[in-house]
Amino acid sequence: QQPVQSPQAVILREGEDAVINCSSSKALYSVHWYRQKHGEAPVFLMILLKGGEQKGHEKISASFNEKKQQSSLYLTASQLSYSGTYFCGTDPNTNAGKSTFGDGTTLTVKP
Amino acid sequence: NAGVTQTPKFQVLKTGQSMTLQCAQDMNHNSMYWYRQDPGMGLRLIYYSASEGTTDKGEVPNGYNVSRLNKREFSLRLESAAPSQTSVYFCASSNRATGANVLTFGAGSRLTVL
């Protein structure tokens, strides 16, 4: 069962903030986030493990609510380079190996 | 450091033809994966290999076969291509031994089946 992402698309001006959500119907061990530019491969941003702390990467951070099986990606003070499609991947346990992905959230940052 | 290398980058096939997508990684990762991505959609797991010598089906395995040739290489074969298999295929690898399944993706192979 793949995770559900929301919203499907976001359009921002430079400097604005955005939140992308990812929810699963299954108990999760980890959630990982990737960004994909058009025509390129997805690139890893960060991973959140069950029992772990909120992660941050420059102005991009994420949280993981294990009880609700939800994760959120926070992009603050958006830059043009943040444009792309963001995917969350989920793992039900450390040994499953079957990471499943949401359908993505397309973020467009305009000048 | 090349990371994950896929070949070919582009391929056009006729319905019923067969082909093999090649993937190699040089990061000494134990796990490797094949995903497909249809336009505007997310990544769907076709097959994965947890370690050398093992393979397992993912979400959409029908019409595909895989071979984990050694620790570095993981190939995906389409025995009789169908238009529904038109997609972009991504190979990925990870080191699950760390307990965090962080995937490194190849650049992708764009396949069109006419």
Side-chain angles (χ1 to χ4, degrees):
Chain A
Q1 188 84 22
Q2 63 182 114
V4 177
Q5 286 185 235
S6 63
Q8 285 187 311
V10 183
I11 299 176
L12 299 173
R13 294 287 182 187
E14 269 188 297
E16 293 181 339
D17 301 340
V19 180
I20 300 171
N21 300 302
C22 174
S23 64
S24 174
S25 59
K26 293 183 176 180
L28 299 176
Y29 172 77
S30 69
V31 179
H32 31 129
W33 288 93
Y34 299 79
R35 177 169 61 206
Q36 184 179 33
K37 302 278 188 177
H38 183 70
E40 299 180 6
V43 174
F44 171 73
L45 292 175
M46 64 188 72
I47 187 166
L48 300 102
L49 304 177
K50 185 177 179 180
E53 298 178 353
Q54 180 167 335
K55 296 285 189 178
H57 175 71
E58 296 181 346
K59 295 180 181 177
I60 300 175
S61 61
S63 63
F64 179 22
N65 186 323
E66 300 162 28
K67 290 184 179 178
K68 292 185 177 180
Q69 292 113 242
Q70 293 176 347
S71 177
S72 295
L73 186 71
Y74 306 95
L75 301 99
T76 58
S78 298
Q79 305 169 14
L80 294 176
S81 62
Y82 286 4
S83 292
T85 302
Y86 291 78
F87 293 99
C88 68
T90 57
D91 296 296
N93 64 65
T94 183
N95 291 320
K98 293 185 178 182
S99 296
T100 54
F101 286 83
D103 282 339
T105 296
T106 300
L107 178 71
T108 304
V109 181
K110 296 186 173 181
Chain B
N1 192 348
V4 178
T5 303
Q6 292 181 231
T7 56
K9 286 188 169 31
F10 301 94
Q11 183 72 48
V12 179
L13 292 176
K14 293 182 180 178
T15 297
Q17 288 185 318
S18 62
M19 77 157 297
T20 299
L21 299 177
Q22 307 285 355
C23 176
Q25 53 92 8
D26 61 3
M27 296 172 287
N28 202 35
H29 285 171
N30 46 18
S31 300
M32 297 186 73
Y33 312 81
W34 277 105
Y35 286 89
R36 62 175 286 174
Q37 185 176 36
D38 298 329
M41 304 291 286
L43 298 149
R44 298 289 177 264
L45 182 63
I46 305 171
Y47 270 93
Y48 78 103
S49 171
S51 60
E52 185 179 354
T54 67
T55 61
D56 201 356
K57 295 178 181 179
E59 302 168 89
V60 290
N62 291 342
Y64 305 94
N65 285 302
V66 291
S67 295
R68 184 74 182 267
L69 305 171
N70 48 56
K71 190 172 185 178
R72 290 187 65 248
E73 298 172 289
F74 189 38
S75 63
L76 178 72
R77 182 161 180 83
L78 288 72
E79 291 292 350
S80 179
S84 61
Q85 294 178 303
T86 294
S87 190
V88 179
Y89 291 84
F90 287 100
C91 178
S93 68
S94 71
N95 184 9
R96 287 171 51 226
T98 65
N101 199 32
V102 174
L103 300 175
T104 300
F105 287 90
S109 299
R110 187 175 296 273
L111 175 66
T112 301
V113 183
L114 302 175

